Amino acid sequence: NVQAVLDWALEWGDIELAVRLGSALWWFWWTRGHFIEMRWRLEQALARRSLLPASLRANLLVATGWLASVDGDQRRAMDLFQEALAIESSRAGHREIARALRSAAFSFSYQGEYERATELLKEALGRARELDSPGDVAAALRGLGKMKVHEEDFDRAEQYFRQALEVGRAHDDRHAVAWALAGLGNVARHRGDTEQATRLYGEALQLARELDSKPGIAYLILSLGHVARFEGDLGKARERYNESLLLLRELGNKPRIAIALLGVAGIDVRE
């Protein structure tokens, strides 16, 4: 059991082994929604990060910062991302720099600093292309699409999401495809095209269910709740918000829990 070995490594002070195992488990933890277990273990390793080589230290900082961001602690997340960037800025040719830039960008966006976030995402995209890392290219493109949605530049947002979709399909990356479809669904919803939004969200949700991606499933059900509320189907909207809340509370995703609760409150006001 890899997780048991990881716990043993943490208990006995083999931090490098623990972080390497954590990196191997990262995708499983993310798709299955084991945020609480993940953060607890990473925080233990983070306290002893000075024992790690630069590359592993940067990986650990980005992962822990990302979890802090999901937990709503953007100040702590930014501190960790900045530390990771300081490490990676002196290390050319490593894909961790693209991830650190992208993570810092999202932290800025959560604070409403979309211009700064866009700058970092463009740099992340350039680095990912230099390193020939399709997954990081697709993620940076999706990030740029999100920034354009915030700026209400929906034509440019659609272009970014379609580019991300092409990259995902070209490399048979179903996670990238699902999130790109979700982004296109957001564009359609903001344009008021609820039929198109429902179709795109539904296609993405099917993929998320096939991949057993709990974060994806929760996000897409929440998004379908927004569509139903916009269409005036308050019963369906409430059902979807409540369904997403069950998953989001299990995941511990505080920012999206707040969004779902606001959706329910909006229904209560209208009823």
Side-chain angles (χ1 to χ4, degrees):
N1 186 300
V2 178
Q3 194 161 298
V5 175
L6 188 154
D7 289 339
W8 175 90
L10 285 171
E11 182 179 354
W12 289 97
D14 193 339
I15 303 306
E16 184 168 344
L17 174 61
V19 174
R20 290 188 185 280
L21 288 171
S23 297
L25 285 170
W26 164 261
W27 194 245
F28 171 81
W29 275 339
W30 157 245
T31 57
R32 299 302 185 273
H34 300 313
F35 292 146
I36 296 173
E37 301 97 312
M38 190 190 326
R39 187 169 188 186
W40 178 77
R41 289 176 173 88
L42 292 182
E43 289 285 359
Q44 287 190 68
L46 190 67
R48 289 172 280 180
R49 61 186 177 276
S50 61
L51 302 173
L52 295 169
S55 61
L56 285 179
R57 191 159 70 250
N59 276 343
L60 177 61
L61 286 161
V62 169
T64 312
W66 180 82
L67 287 172
S69 181
V70 169
D71 203 31
D73 190 350
Q74 302 306 331
R75 184 184 297 275
R76 174 164 168 73
M78 181 56 72
D79 288 343
L80 295 171
F81 293 146
Q82 295 286 10
E83 187 177 341
L85 282 171
I87 294 170
E88 290 301 327
S89 61
S90 61
R91 285 163 35 85
H94 293 271
R95 65 185 300 188
E96 288 85 0
I97 184 65
R99 293 174 180 172
L101 286 164
R102 193 170 70 244
S103 299
F106 286 129
S107 196
F108 274 116
S109 75
Y110 293 145
Q111 299 171 67
E113 298 185 40
Y114 302 123
E115 186 174 342
R116 178 59 177 147
T118 297
E119 291 173 0
L120 291 172
L121 284 165
K122 286 181 176 178
E123 185 176 354
L125 178 59
R127 296 294 186 102
R129 283 173 169 159
E130 289 172 6
L131 297 167
D132 193 23
S133 178
D136 290 313
V137 168
L141 288 167
R142 293 196 306 272
L144 287 165
K146 290 177 184 177
M147 296 309 107
K148 291 304 176 184
V149 169
H150 286 301
E151 295 171 7
E152 299 186 358
D153 184 351
F154 302 127
D155 290 345
R156 193 73 183 101
E158 181 178 3
Q159 291 173 12
Y160 280 128
F161 286 126
R162 289 202 179 282
Q163 289 177 51
L165 183 62
E166 289 173 7
V167 173
R169 284 176 170 162
H171 294 86
D172 196 26
D173 184 341
R174 292 195 295 162
H175 287 278
V177 169
W179 286 108
L181 288 168
L184 289 168
N186 287 338
V187 171
R189 175 167 61 86
H190 283 284
R191 284 171 166 165
D193 188 346
T194 56
E195 182 177 349
Q196 175 79 336
T198 299
R199 184 186 66 77
L200 289 162
Y201 286 146
E203 190 176 343
L205 180 58
Q206 181 178 341
L207 273 174
R209 291 192 191 280
E210 290 172 3
L211 294 163
D212 195 22
S213 172
K214 289 185 178 180
I217 293 167
Y219 175 78
L220 289 158
I221 293 172
L222 175 63
S223 299
L224 286 165
H226 296 329
V227 173
R229 189 178 64 164
F230 183 84
E231 291 179 328
D233 190 339
L234 301 186
K236 183 181 288 186
R238 184 186 295 277
E239 179 182 335
R240 286 171 171 169
Y241 284 140
N242 286 334
E243 185 180 355
S244 69
L245 272 169
L246 288 175
L247 282 171
L248 291 167
R249 283 173 171 147
E250 180 183 340
L251 297 172
N253 190 322
K254 292 179 181 178
R256 285 186 179 150
I257 289 172
I259 292 170
L261 288 172
L262 281 172
V264 173
I267 293 171
D268 289 339
V269 170
R270 292 175 66 177
E271 289 182 338

